[in-house]
Amino acid sequence: IYAGTGYWSNLTLHKNTVTLTSTSGQYAIYNYWMGYGGTGNTVTIDSNIVTGCTSTSTSSTWYGIYNYYGGATTVNIFGNKVYGNSAAYTMYLLYDYAYSGATTGPTTDNIYNNEVYSNSTSGAYSVYGIYTYYGSGTTKSVYGNRVSGNSSVGGSLYCLYVYYSTLANIYQNNV
């Protein structure tokens, strides 16, 4: 599912189920620039399921739920499940890159009650459970998430990775 290039827009990706098989990289649910630069707008990605996806590519990254430059005034990512997926390369299971550089005023980024579990890469590559990146002027609240049972043959495992935020509230996660 791809939502792309809707500057200043509102977006809701709600109750979708995605299962993919390919020999290349995958983007199961991908927001590309929807909501960027807005004032008073909201991007909501909720209650989606990404399961049973398989990628055999040894050179292309796998993405479960990816919010890229979806830096609306408010970003809500909640109630999603990413489980039972496998890839041969790096995996980003739930990746929020809510760049907010063009918004007027602070952005609120809420990531809560998501479940990311039992995903694996067969290569010696990293697996990122919940990864939220970027947030100049952003308040990130990351809570009530469960990240467990993900694996990599020889790469690094990152359960919960919060990077570069003005203020981060991280609590009651089960990793």
Side-chain angles (χ1 to χ4, degrees):
I1 296 172
Y2 175 83
T5 317
Y7 301 149
W8 312 291
S9 63
N10 292 299
L11 171 67
T12 300
L13 292 168
H14 174 70
K15 281 196 171 182
N16 300 288
T17 300
V18 178
T19 300
L20 301 167
T21 300
S22 76
T23 58
S24 62
Q26 293 177 351
Y27 296 82
I29 297 175
Y30 184 28
N31 173 30
Y32 180 78
W33 290 76
M34 292 286 285
Y36 177 81
T39 303
N41 62 330
T42 302
V43 167
T44 300
I45 302 171
D46 75 287
S47 306
N48 298 288
I49 298 171
V50 178
T51 187
C53 296
T54 303
S55 172
T56 57
S57 173
T58 57
S59 61
S60 296
T61 301
W62 186 92
Y63 297 91
I65 297 174
Y66 188 13
N67 181 42
Y68 180 75
Y69 271 59
T73 302
T74 302
V75 174
N76 296 309
I77 301 174
F78 65 92
N80 299 289
K81 293 182 180 183
V82 180
Y83 66 93
N85 302 290
S86 63
Y89 199 65
T90 300
M91 299 179 81
Y92 288 91
L93 305 172
L94 193 157
Y95 186 7
D96 176 41
Y97 190 145
Y99 180 70
S100 58
T103 59
T104 304
T107 297
T108 302
D109 200 358
N110 302 305
I111 303 169
Y112 60 96
N113 295 344
N114 297 287
E115 296 182 49
V116 178
Y117 59 94
S118 299
N119 301 282
S120 64
T121 179
S122 58
Y125 302 101
S126 296
V127 175
Y128 296 84
I130 296 176
Y131 182 24
T132 179
Y133 176 74
Y134 212 88
S136 177
T138 301
T139 298
K140 290 184 181 283
S141 294
V142 182
Y143 60 92
N145 299 289
R146 178 172 72 101
V147 182
S148 65
N150 300 302
S151 63
S152 172
V153 171
S156 298
L157 292 173
Y158 302 93
C159 292
L160 184 59
Y161 194 131
V162 179
Y163 183 73
Y164 191 52
S165 179
T166 301
L167 175 64
N169 302 302
I170 305 166
Y171 58 94
Q172 294 180 337
N173 296 287
N174 185 359
V175 295

